[in-house]
Structure formats: C-alpha cells, structure tokens
Amino acid sequence: MPSRFPLLLLAAGLPLLAGLRSSAPAGAPTAQPERLGRGVVAIAQPDGKVFVSWRLLTTDAPGVAFDVYRQAGPAAAQKLNARPLVAGTCFLDATARKAPAATYSVRVAGRLPPADASAAAWADGYLRVPLQPPPGGTVGTGPEASPYAYTANDASAADLDGDGQYEIVLKWEPTNARDNSSSGLTSPVLLDAYRLDGTRLWRIDLGPNIRAGAHYTQFMAYDLDGDGQAEIACKTADGTVDGQGKILGDATKDYRSLTVLTDGMQVPTPRDAKYGRILAGPEFLTVFSGRTGAALASVPYQPARGNLGGWGGIGGNGGNDQYGNRVDRFLAAVAYLDGQHPSLVMCRGYYGRTVLAAWDWRGGQLTSRWVFDSKDGKSPFSGMGNHGLSVNDVDGDGRDEIVYGAMVVDDNGQGLYSTGLRHGDALHVSDFDPARPGLEAWGVHENEEKVAGHENGPGAALYAAGSGQLLFVKLPGQDVGRGLAADIDPRHPGAELWTNVAELGLLSCQGERIGPAPRSVNFGLWWDGDLLRELLTDTRVEKWDYQAGQLTRLLDGKAYGAASCNGTKATPCLTADLLGDWREEVVWRTADNSALLIFSTTIPTPHRLPTLMQDRAYRLGVARENVGYNQPPHPGYFLGEGMTPPVGSAAP
C-alpha cells in the first residue's frame, strides 16, 4: 500500500536489517543493526520533472540493479526506466507532468511487488514538518523578571516507534537561555518528538532545575537495547515532567540561586555570579521511551558536582570558580564499547577535571559499565576536552573509543593517551589522509597568553587518532575559534583543512598551504553530484570553486523562510543522510519556528555508495551532533576524490 509520507515507509511493512559498518578486522564483533528501508524520496522540480532517490544498503548484492515505478490513482504502477539502473541510486522522471499527485516506488530489478518502498513527491521541492511551538511567558518577578519565547533548536533523528522510519527529536530552547559564564534566570528546556507528517508523539519538560544553554542539555536519541525502538537519554532533575505527564523527583523543589542574606534580609542578587544558577539538588540520568516519552529509569548522574571549585580553569591552570561555570560543562555520546551493543557515555568537565561515565541500557535496567576520572589538574588527561567530542574505533579492534578533544579514552574506560594540546572549540575525526593508515583528528585550540605554561601551544593541529602522534601543528600561541576538514579540492589527495584564521590559508592533509581558504568554517555537506564535500553555514549551501578560490552558492534556505540556530554559531537543526542516496539532508527551522524544513539534493550523481547511516562512525556522529558546539558527522573512511569504495558499496 503506497505511503503518504516520503521516508522509509515500507509497502510490505517489514524494514530491512543491516549492520553498522566499521573498519574492524575480520572476526571482530558485529554491531547491533538498525532497521533501514530504501528511504525513497521524490522531489518535484520547477519544470515539472520529479527527482527520485533511494538508499543502497550494505546488505545489497554486488551489482544490484533497480527499477523505478510511478503510480497515479488506481492505475497499475508504471515502470519508468527502460533498462535496470546500475549507476547511482537516483532517477529523473522527465514525464512526471503527465501524472500529477503520483507516488514513486523502487524495486530491486526483477523483484515482484510489493515494492521496497514508496513515496509521494514533495510538491514544494522540500518537506515542511509542522511544529507545535510551546507558549512563552515570564520567569521571575519584579525588576528581575525575564520574559521568554521558544525557539526550535538542535535536533536528532531516530526510529522512535519501530516502524522503520526516522522521527525527529527537537530541543526547544527559551530565548533567555544563557552561557555558563553568565548569571541570570532561564526558562525550562523542552524536548519534542515528531513524525515527518508533523504528528507530535510527546513533549518532555526538563523543568526549573535544568538550566537552559548550549552546555547543559545534551540528549541522545538511539536504540540502546536493540528492540527496534530508540530511547532518549539526558540529564534531568527534580520537577522534570516526562512525555506522559509524570513528574520526576520532588516537584516542590526549586534549586535556582535566587537570593542571599544581607543584614538578615533576603534580597535578590542578579549581579551575583551565582544568580539563577542551579548548584544544589539531585541530578539524574534518565532514559525515556522514544515511543511514548515515558521515563523508563533514572539513576544519579555521575559524577556529582562535588567541589564546585575542583573542575579547573582554562587548560586546568587557575581560574577555578565557585559559581558553576566549569562544573556545569556537559557532553554526551553513544558508543559501541563492546563492539556489539551501544552504550551511553555521559560526560562532565573539560577545562580541568574530566569525567566520562559509560552506561548500558539492557532489559529495562541502567547499569554502570565504567567511569573515567582525570581527578585533578595534575593528570595529563585534565584540561584536554573540547566543546564537543567524537566516537571512533581509533585502534581498529572493532570497539569504539571516545576522542575527547585532545585526548582519547579507550573502550575499557582507561585513558589511551593525551596529546597535551589542551582545550578547543572544534574537532573533526575521519580518514582525512588515506595515504597513511588509520584515522586523523583535526582540531583547533585555545592556547594564548592567559594559559600559563601553554602560551606557545598550537592553535590548530592534526594528530594520528590511534596513537596521538602529532602530524603537524599551526598558529602557535593563538586562540582559534573554528576549524573544518573536508575534501574540497581534487588536485590534492585526501581532505583539506582550514580555520577561521585567514592567513593560515587552505592546507593539504600534509600541512602544506595550497591557497586561500573558504570563509565558510562551519559544516560540511555532501550535496552535489561529485565526491567533494560542499560547505554549509547559516542557511547557505556553497561549493568551493578551487580554481577561482571562491564560494558558489547552491542553495539558500532563507528564500524558503529558513533560519539557523545557536546565534553566531549559525548551525542547522540537523544534517544527516536521512533518506535517499548517500548525499546528506539539511534540516533548518523556519524563522517563525512554526515548522522544520528538510532539504534533499536534486542533483543527479553517478556515484554509488551505501547510505552513510550504515557507517558506524557517521551514525554515531549524527547522534552526538547536537552536543556542545555542533559539529558535522564524518564517516570512518575517506570519502572524496580518488576514494576506495567502502565494503558494501555494491558497485557493478
């Protein structure tokens, strides 16, 4: 039966199973599979033609061929291709004008109905997912009252109800959200779940005792126990309300720092560094049902705050505070620590003391797998964390490690190594240099005069992710804010690397300056028909013209009412290979927060790669994309000009 919606609804009702690929050696554990179908998408063009795209799966036989069908009304489906399709997994229906309101389906060539999947065409050229914005209001009273509205913010994708298609989990952020360095009241953070037709499944209200801001709520949406339905996990507190209206803990408690005693009188102190912060009360880690939003289990968050001043300053040198700036720095990830099953990794601290706590969700129980604790500033693992992290099998044993900025924690919870490069804002991990074995990590760092003992540390560096060996360092003694790695110039092997420091220029993966760098230093996005990666910042998708040394615009979401998130970070709600072939989709909010807009490319490509969501490093990159300062996902292999096709590419 044809679907009304364009993503992963299978005509037979049975999604296909395919494991997550990693670069592990033969005989290594097999990772828990994710249910994925063909992900057929059909997109109407201004000239009336319809572009159809679908997934290649790692379970497909080598040389697999496809047929594309169109069905209008009660008439039998019509095959559109004269010969089986073996180059690329996309097709342009040039006769679509003759069949308005048609649906499209894809079959493995020679297979009898039902089709693998079907989709109605996106009439506007993109998919609009209606939202239900929460009402605004005012928090606090008198002169300290803080009015707020809600803005659609970071999102994630997971199959929440087991129907074989991705749903969207969206964070609503109040306009009075604050960075940890700022005092003041904030309003509650909310999490919504939506099907792609705009049906809201549930809403979770994290309550008054979870502060709003980029460093507080890191939420994981992933099938943690392998039952086919994803769970949601995040930090909660007294007064959190789950998706069924159940209150966690004690709803009467309010731990916000609002007043102090002055001559025996309680007076508001908005100028006090603690004002509006939450520095007391219980903290929980809660797992919620992705299907209903109901709280399934809660445990005390590890680690507890402890000594507020024990979490270090920048680089772990001085700057300890008692007002909660450094203690309330959180990160999170999902990792296959045993190579077979996903685990939660919930983190606290990166300027000094650093703690990672791994949890397993099995049989309705949360159990601790391990806790890594750098303990104090004397540890080589203190002060190495970024405003983000990456999950990768850096040593090729089939089990994931946590690349925590400038250091790596092994799958067993032991420190693997520390590079000593110190804290930074951006991190990218993949096989950026295919000529050398293993993965590389490219990051930027805050090393300047204020970091005692590290005044001449590098502002940017590339290191071998498996060993920590420094491959090259750049910009000594600088605080570099942004950096990116992507193959954007086919004249040089591997990926290119650059930062927001213009004089550094564009670097080859060997560290050689090869020309000027793009001004776009935000997200990468595979969008057009070649293997080079395009660039995404704010609402613009742009192509680097490596010969002219300038950017060419391919798409501007503002023309459709789109807006970016996170202020000057100007990030999308989400980028991921959500549907169609291996190219990526971008999800923006509308400027009025009434909808999410999902854009998918309509540029044909002859390249034939399995969906990126079946690459483990990429899939886990999508899961952690909302964490801290959002970073784009990268596959665990080199994807670019001159690449070696990954296992499972099923090329003829």
Side-chain angles (χ1 to χ4, degrees):
M1 180 175 63
S3 166
R4 292 177 296 143
F5 312 124
L7 177 62
L8 292 177
L9 286 178
L10 306 181
L14 297 173
L16 303 174
L17 288 175
L20 292 176
R21 292 182 292 109
S22 75
S23 56
T30 300
Q32 170 186 306
E34 183 174 34
R35 290 181 171 97
L36 288 179
R38 287 290 167 206
V40 176
V41 60
I43 307 171
Q45 305 293 285
D47 61 3
K49 299 176 184 177
V50 173
F51 180 81
V52 185
S53 176
W54 61 96
R55 287 194 180 107
L56 184 70
L57 299 169
T58 56
T59 50
D60 285 328
V64 63
F66 296 97
D67 292 327
V68 177
Y69 289 78
R70 183 182 67 210
Q71 184 172 16
Q78 175 188 1
K79 188 170 77 167
L80 300 178
N81 52 296
R83 297 182 180 85
L85 303 172
V86 294
T89 53
C90 58
F91 178 83
L92 185 64
D93 179 9
T95 64
R97 286 185 294 266
K98 300 177 182 178
T103 60
Y104 291 82
S105 59
V106 173
R107 302 175 193 170
V108 171
R111 179 177 294 178
L112 296 175
D116 286 340
S118 61
W122 295 357
D124 297 324
Y126 59 90
L127 182 64
R128 182 182 181 89
V129 181
L131 300 177
Q132 298 179 36
T138 301
V139 62
T141 60
E144 310 311 327
S146 176
Y148 65 92
Y150 277 101
T151 300
N153 193 250
D154 299 330
S156 193
D159 182 0
L160 302 180
D161 54 13
D163 65 354
Q165 68 170 338
Y166 287 128
E167 281 76 44
I168 300 293
V169 180
L170 174 70
K171 181 173 75 171
W172 289 101
E173 190 166 76
T175 50
N176 59 6
R178 297 178 183 275
D179 189 85
N180 296 48
S181 60
S182 302
S183 63
L185 292 170
T186 72
S187 304
V189 174
L190 309 176
L191 296 175
D192 277 2
Y194 291 92
R195 292 196 175 104
L196 295 186
D197 64 351
T199 300
R200 195 182 79 187
L201 299 178
W202 44 256
R203 172 169 289 168
I204 295 169
D205 184 340
L206 295 181
N209 295 309
I210 296 292
R211 207 162 186 250
H215 306 295
Y216 293 99
T217 295
Q218 325 295 348
F219 62 95
M220 293 293 104
Y222 208 85
D223 181 6
L224 298 170
D225 57 7
D227 67 353
Q229 299 180 13
E231 290 76 34
I232 312 300
C234 66
K235 182 173 173 286
T236 60
D238 280 343
T240 292
V241 182
D242 76 3
Q244 296 297 301
K246 179 183 176 181
I247 299 173
L248 279 62
D250 188 342
T252 68
K253 298 297 185 182
D254 186 342
Y255 295 102
R256 292 173 296 178
S257 301
L258 302 177
T259 61
V260 295
L261 289 173
T262 301
D263 297 329
M265 302 274 299
Q266 281 193 328
V267 297
T269 57
R271 290 176 297 279
D272 186 273
K274 291 186 178 181
Y275 180 71
R277 297 178 180 277
I278 301 158
L279 304 177
E283 302 172 289
F284 312 125
L285 167 62
T286 300
V287 174
F288 299 90
S289 165
R291 183 174 59 86
T292 67
L296 301 177
S298 293
V299 294
Y301 193 89
Q302 290 190 36
R305 298 180 186 91
N307 174 17
L308 297 182
W311 293 86
I314 294 177
N317 298 283
N320 294 343
D321 66 68
Q322 293 288 338
Y323 62 92
N325 182 16
R326 294 163 179 85
V327 68
D328 277 354
R329 299 281 177 161
F330 300 98
L331 302 174
V334 174
Y336 287 76
L337 299 173
D338 65 0
Q340 295 179 290
H341 308 100
S343 299
L344 283 170
V345 182
M346 308 303 290
C347 316
R348 185 174 216 147
Y350 40 74
Y351 285 133
R353 183 188 175 196
T354 296
V355 183
L356 288 71
W359 297 89
D360 292 337
W361 174 248
R362 313 277 190 267
Q365 300 290 324
L366 262 176
T367 57
S368 175
R369 174 173 283 267
W370 49 252
V371 176
F372 170 89
D373 191 343
S374 73
K375 296 183 179 179
D376 57 44
K378 297 179 181 179
S379 168
F381 293 96
S382 288
M384 298 296 159
N386 275 34
H387 291 296
L389 75 179
S390 186
V391 178
N392 304 85
D393 178 10
V394 302
D395 53 13
D397 64 357
R399 298 182 294 273
D400 289 328
E401 284 73 44
I402 312 301
V403 184
Y404 205 78
M407 58 96 158
V408 171
V409 176
D410 206 351
D411 56 76
N412 60 6
Q414 302 297 310
L416 189 62
Y417 62 80
S418 174
T419 64
L421 293 171
R422 318 305 291 183
H423 166 75
D425 285 2
L427 172 70
H428 306 275
V429 183
S430 187
D431 188 4
F432 295 129
D433 183 357
R436 66 171 305 280
L439 307 178
E440 294 79 38
W442 169 248
V444 298
H445 305 275
E446 296 181 9
N447 287 314
E448 52 181 343
E449 291 183 4
K450 65 182 178 182
V451 187
H454 298 274
E455 298 89 343
N456 294 315
L462 183 74
Y463 67 86
S467 66
Q469 175 191 359
L470 297 184
L471 302 177
F472 63 80
V473 298
K474 300 290 181 179
L475 303 173
Q478 294 195 41
D479 178 349
V480 180
R482 299 295 276 174
L484 192 56
D487 186 17
I488 59 174
D489 188 336
R491 299 172 298 182
H492 303 273
E496 283 70 51
L497 317 170
W498 69 104
T499 73
N500 62 317
V501 180
E503 56 264 31
L504 179 66
L506 187 65
L507 305 178
S508 72
C509 60
Q510 304 295 325
E512 302 165 336
R513 192 181 194 278
I514 58 177
R519 295 185 63 185
S520 181
V521 198
N522 204 351
F523 265 59
L525 190 78
W526 280 288
W527 186 261
D528 69 3
D530 62 28
L531 294 172
L532 301 177
R533 209 169 191 186
E534 283 62 61
L535 303 179
L536 167 64
T537 192
D538 194 22
T539 59
R540 303 185 303 277
V541 177
E542 297 170 307
K543 179 81 170 177
W544 178 244
D545 184 338
Y546 53 88
Q547 294 177 318
Q550 62 187 23
L551 291 166
T552 300
R553 191 164 302 175
L554 303 181
L555 170 68
D556 191 344
K558 275 193 173 64
Y560 305 91
S564 59
C565 300
N566 298 308
T568 58
K569 299 294 185 293
T571 56
C573 296
L574 179 68
T575 64
D577 181 12
L578 293 175
L579 64 157
D581 62 30
W582 57 274
R583 272 89 58 84
E584 297 173 288
E585 282 65 49
V586 56
V587 183
W588 286 300
R589 65 183 178 95
T590 57
D592 64 1
N593 298 297
S594 64
L596 296 177
L597 305 180
I598 302 178
F599 288 84
S600 185
T601 185
T602 58
I603 302 172
T605 180
H607 298 289
R608 185 177 169 98
L609 300 173
T611 172
L612 300 184
M613 295 294 259
Q614 287 185 317
D615 178 78
R616 195 162 90 198
Y618 183 91
R619 180 66 185 90
L620 298 177
V622 172
R624 58 94 187 130
E625 191 178 325
N626 69 81
V627 171
Y629 293 169
N630 315 55
Q631 303 285 278
H634 299 279
Y637 58 91
F638 173 68
L639 201 171
E641 185 71 21
M643 67 178 289
T644 299
V647 175
S649 61

